[in-house]
Amino acid sequence: MSEQYTFVAVFLLFVLLFATAPVLIGWLFSPKKASVRKQEHYESGLQTYGKTWIEFKSQYYLFALAYVVFAVEAALLLPWAVAYHVLPLYGVIEAVVFLLILGFGLIY
């Protein structure tokens, strides 16, 4: 039993090392000196003009959120739909619960 926990602990250490190593390497080798040129606002290779903080329609955010919900739904329901004829009743119930969770998230 302790062998399984050892495997999980080693795997957890590997995951933490794998996740933090790029951040630490980037922090160590990134330039630290700030200059006026580096502090300027920069977008698409052009200098900004006018107000840089503009109002952003929340409607665009809702469109993006709806797209993400339907993309996740399509990606996760496709394998379920392919194997529909061999799924027992609990498989269908799980898919309905998944759709309800996505629907509640979209409404929220």
Side-chain angles (χ1 to χ4, degrees), residues 2-97:
S2 70
E3 293 173 0
Q4 293 174 347
Y5 289 122
T6 305
F7 174 74
V8 171
V10 169
F11 187 72
L12 182 64
L13 287 173
F14 176 73
V15 167
L16 290 174
L17 177 69
F18 191 74
T20 57
V23 174
L24 290 175
I25 291 170
W27 179 75
L28 286 173
F29 293 113
S30 65
K32 305 286 191 279
K33 296 180 182 177
S35 67
V36 176
R37 179 111 170 125
K38 290 180 184 178
Q39 298 292 330
E40 290 180 357
H41 295 284
Y42 181 79
E43 181 177 346
S44 302
L46 304 172
Q47 286 293 107
T48 58
Y49 58 93
K51 291 175 22 177
T52 55
W53 289 97
I54 59 172
E55 291 185 25
F56 185 73
K57 287 187 176 183
S58 61
Q59 184 178 10
Y60 299 137
Y61 173 74
L62 293 177
F63 285 146
L65 189 61
Y67 171 76
V68 167
V69 167
F70 288 120
V72 168
E73 180 180 350
L76 294 178
L77 285 182
L78 182 65
W80 175 83
V82 169
Y84 177 74
H85 64 283
V86 295
L87 285 177
L89 180 61
Y90 71 85
V92 176
I93 293 172
E94 286 177 356
V96 169
V97 168

